[in-house]
Amino acid sequence: MSKLFCGVDFGTTNSSAALSDGDRTWVLELDRTNDVPKSLPSLLYLSRDGEQIIGRAAAKAFIERNVDREVKLEQVDLDAAIEAYVPSEPDKSESYRPMELAEVRVTEGVRVSATMEVNSPGRLFQSLKSLLRYRAFRGTEVFGQTYQIEELVAMILQRIKQSVDEAAGEPVARAVFGRPVRFSVNPEEDAVAERRLRVAAGLSGFEEVVFFYEPVAACVEYAVTTDRDLKLMVVDIGGGTCDVCVMTFGAGGNAMERVAGSHILGVAGVPVAGDAIDREIIQEKLFPRFGSQSRYGPAHLPIPQFLFNNILDWQNLYKLSTEETLNWLVAVEMSSDQPEAIGALHCLIQRNYGYLVAREAEAAKKRLSSVTETDIAIMREIIQIHERLERIEFAHIIEHDLDTMLDSIVEAENAAQVNPGDIDYVLTTGGTCLIPAVREMLESRYGVDRLIQRDTFTSVATGLAVAARYA
Ligand SMILES: Nc1ncnc2c1ncn2[C@@H]1O[C@H](COP(=O)(O)OP(=O)(O)OP(=O)(O)O)[C@@H](O)[C@H]1O
Ligand SMILES: [Mg+2]
């Protein structure tokens, strides 16, 4: 068995891993093509011929191969037949009584067919961690093969396992995995998500897995760098969840003594973070540019809003690209009070630009962490969107998400029975903590001098590897 301790942070957006020999802890380089090589984008691209592409390359493959390509859906005969019960034509004779209808059933053979994207080169999966909690989402069919959610997650974890084994120079069977405080506010869904992540870790080759709360790991990561008696809070806001913990560490001691003498006073968390914020931007700034407020026809009917939910769920946007929907949109465009916007919607659906829209919104959000205004520009064929977004307006758009995060922070304080003034330092980590409005929220509660920014993408993995020694 390996003498090294391993920590794996499977993130909604980015994953990272660290190893520790007990004295030293180092974060592994998981994706050389990524702008932050120590973090691996949690993206999976499955190609038609079964190729699995992970990380930054997955996004590249999707854009090169899938985007700009006309989506063609066809009714495909699956070359199978099933016996189906069909209600028979009711016996209209005098003795017929409706109550007997259920009895009068016959079976008939039905050919099985499905609407499929016949020429799709591959599928991209993003934010798989957020799907773990949905009982109903067991898996998905990709080019005729069904993959369970655990198998999809395991494909990403396998890539991490490979890097871990290579860096360790031997197979590492045991790892401490991070988990959010709450995958879901529903305890049943939370348990389902953890169980699935454990199965996925097992499938990827980690034979023994121990779970540790992600914010607690980030707290340990900092605490072992000092020898002071401290009451610490961690606020870790990533792509999928906002996680909070309050912990105490006694004075002095080496890392081992400090971890052994620590106490978790309170934790809290909500599944509201960066992905939710991106959706707010798309809804607020981009939906109207695709005609969400438009009306059509002589009766001035509003455009059905389900079309827009499909834009948010871009991974399934291709399903709208049926001849029927596209023809209907052409007709709507002709009688619309916003024909350009409806034309843009048609183009978005037909050419599969949903992912690009999501990426643009996310990129604009990130830019607003360093500049006070930016443009969301989406220029593809007849889609000509140039939407200005100012930091102040952005803060306003995400106000209720910030309120939800603050509720979680207050919940952690209450669970720990502390007041804001009792906390020595508030450690921040996770990409969403870079948003100025999030920082301002924390500054106004705790004061700027008590905020300590830890490494955005690797502090959880480092803490997990440190904790792995004692877990
Ligand atoms: N400079 C930035 N400004 C604002 N948001 C950012 C910035 N950089 C990254 N983000 C956002 O941070 C999120 C990713 O952060 P992180 O990698 O910490 O999440 P994660 O660990 O994958 O997710 P989780 O911990 O929720 O499972 C994304 O939503 C991303 O858009
Ligand atoms: Mg994280």
Side-chain angles (χ1 to χ4, degrees):
M1 195 150 119
S2 174
K3 288 194 182 64
L4 295 174
F5 305 99
C6 175
V8 177
D9 174 20
F10 173 60
T12 310
T13 316
N14 299 295
S15 296
S16 49
L19 283 170
S20 172
D21 60 10
D23 292 326
R24 218 168 51 86
T25 303
W26 60 100
V27 180
L28 309 187
E29 206 167 86
L30 293 181
D31 189 349
R32 283 192 190 100
T33 63
N34 195 21
D35 40 352
V36 184
K38 285 182 174 166
S39 84
L40 172 75
S42 309
L43 293 169
L44 164 69
Y45 183 82
L46 277 182
S47 76
R48 179 173 283 280
D49 53 15
E51 187 189 8
Q52 298 169 16
I53 306 178
I54 316 286
R56 180 61 53 214
K60 192 162 170 269
F62 181 78
I63 290 172
E64 281 172 6
R65 302 183 197 178
N66 288 56
V67 176
D68 268 333
R69 195 184 46 89
E70 200 166 308
V71 179
K72 272 209 185 78
L73 289 181
E74 275 178 22
Q75 201 68 16
V76 178
D77 190 326
L78 294 180
D79 199 22
I82 56 166
E83 287 276 292
Y85 281 95
V86 287
S88 64
E89 174 64 13
D91 177 359
K92 300 284 172 57
S93 65
E94 269 175 43
S95 60
Y96 166 66
R97 295 197 304 278
M99 291 308 287
E100 284 174 2
L101 184 63
E103 306 298 318
V104 200
R105 282 171 175 261
V106 294
T107 62
E108 79 176 16
V110 177
R111 294 291 297 172
V112 182
S113 67
T115 306
M116 289 172 73
E117 199 188 352
V118 286
N119 58 352
S120 167
R123 292 246 326 253
L124 181 69
F125 295 92
Q126 190 185 32
S127 302
L128 281 167
K129 186 179 176 185
S130 302
L131 294 178
L132 284 170
R133 66 178 186 261
Y134 297 118
R135 281 190 98 105
F137 183 81
R138 288 164 188 271
T140 185
E141 197 184 288
V142 188
F143 308 120
Q145 182 155 353
T146 305
Y147 293 94
Q148 292 181 9
I149 175 83
E150 294 89 337
E151 293 174 295
L152 297 172
V153 170
M155 289 177 197
I156 297 177
L157 296 181
Q158 247 153 25
R159 160 75 178 263
I160 297 173
K161 175 75 164 65
Q162 228 171 12
S163 301
V164 166
D165 291 352
E166 263 168 38
E170 58 187 343
V172 176
R174 185 175 186 276
V176 170
F177 266 67
R179 56 148 293 164
V181 172
R182 288 182 193 130
F183 280 102
S184 162
V185 288
N186 174 340
E188 221 174 278
E189 287 188 347
D190 186 77
V192 167
E194 187 185 289
R195 206 164 47 234
R196 286 172 167 178
L197 185 53
R198 186 183 294 282
V199 170
L203 289 175
S204 71
F206 288 108
E207 289 161 19
E208 198 188 331
V209 170
V210 175
F211 282 110
F212 213 77
Y213 284 141
E214 288 159 13
V216 172
C219 208
V220 167
E221 183 268 339
Y222 172 77
V224 297
T225 65
T226 78
D227 57 5
R228 295 172 50 202
D229 179 354
L230 290 171
K231 192 168 281 169
L232 299 171
M233 172 182 268
V234 166
V235 178
D236 170 10
I237 316 178
T241 52
C242 162
D243 291 284
V244 192
C245 78
V246 181
M247 287 182 78
T248 53
F249 290 84
N254 56 28
M256 191 170 180
E257 286 159 2
R258 282 182 76 66
V259 173
S262 67
H263 295 282
I264 299 173
L265 301 182
V267 293
V270 274
V272 174
D275 283 355
I277 287 172
D278 297 347
R279 286 195 291 270
E280 304 281 6
I281 297 176
I282 296 170
Q283 251 166 320
E284 198 63 32
K285 299 297 286 183
L286 301 178
F287 276 10
R289 304 300 307 269
F290 291 107
S292 63
Q293 324 269 309
S294 70
R295 293 187 165 257
Y296 71 100
H300 295 283
L301 295 171
I303 191 115
Q305 294 301 302
F306 79 87
L307 289 170
F308 298 93
N309 295 336
N310 273 281
I311 299 179
L312 289 182
D313 181 20
W314 62 262
Q315 292 171 94
N316 286 310
L317 183 64
Y318 72 92
K319 290 180 185 162
L320 277 187
S321 196
T322 59
E323 215 175 329
E324 196 186 355
T325 308
L326 293 171
N327 286 343
W328 178 80
L329 278 171
V330 170
V332 168
E333 185 181 342
M334 286 191 284
S335 65
S336 170
D337 58 355
Q338 294 179 17
E340 276 175 22
I342 299 300
L345 179 61
H346 183 279
C347 178
L348 169 82
I349 293 171
Q350 190 177 34
R351 307 290 284 187
N352 208 8
Y353 289 137
Y355 180 54
L356 292 186
V357 168
R359 269 169 66 109
E360 265 314 310
E362 186 194 10
K365 169 190 79 172
K366 289 188 190 175
R367 287 195 297 275
L368 284 180
S369 294
S370 47
V371 298
T372 54
E373 56 180 33
T374 189
D375 285 327
I376 308 172
I378 304 167
M379 313 291 242
R380 296 272 170 156
E381 303 172 47
I382 60 163
I383 305 176
Q384 296 293 316
I385 295 176
H386 220 259
E387 194 68 29
R388 175 131 294 216
L389 181 58
E390 295 185 2
R391 195 186 273 177
I392 294 173
E393 184 190 2
F394 171 52
H396 182 65
I397 291 173
I398 62 170
E399 225 163 36
H400 66 270
D401 294 320
L402 296 181
D403 287 345
T404 308
M405 293 169 189
L406 185 59
D407 287 347
S408 205
I409 290 165
V410 173
E411 188 192 329
E413 280 178 8
N414 291 340
Q417 297 188 320
V418 295
N419 293 312
D422 301 332
I423 292 163
D424 294 307
Y425 294 110
V426 176
L427 314 169
T428 59
T429 186
T432 301
C433 275
L434 298 176
I435 294 177
V438 173
R439 303 207 65 75
E440 280 156 24
M441 171 178 85
L442 295 172
E443 278 169 20
S444 72
R445 192 165 183 86
Y446 303 103
V448 66
D449 294 340
R450 281 193 288 155
L451 297 192
I452 301 180
Q453 167 79 38
R454 302 303 290 168
D455 189 282
T456 301
F457 301 110
T458 62
S459 64
V460 171
T462 305
L464 290 170
V466 173
R469 184 172 181 193
Y470 314 105

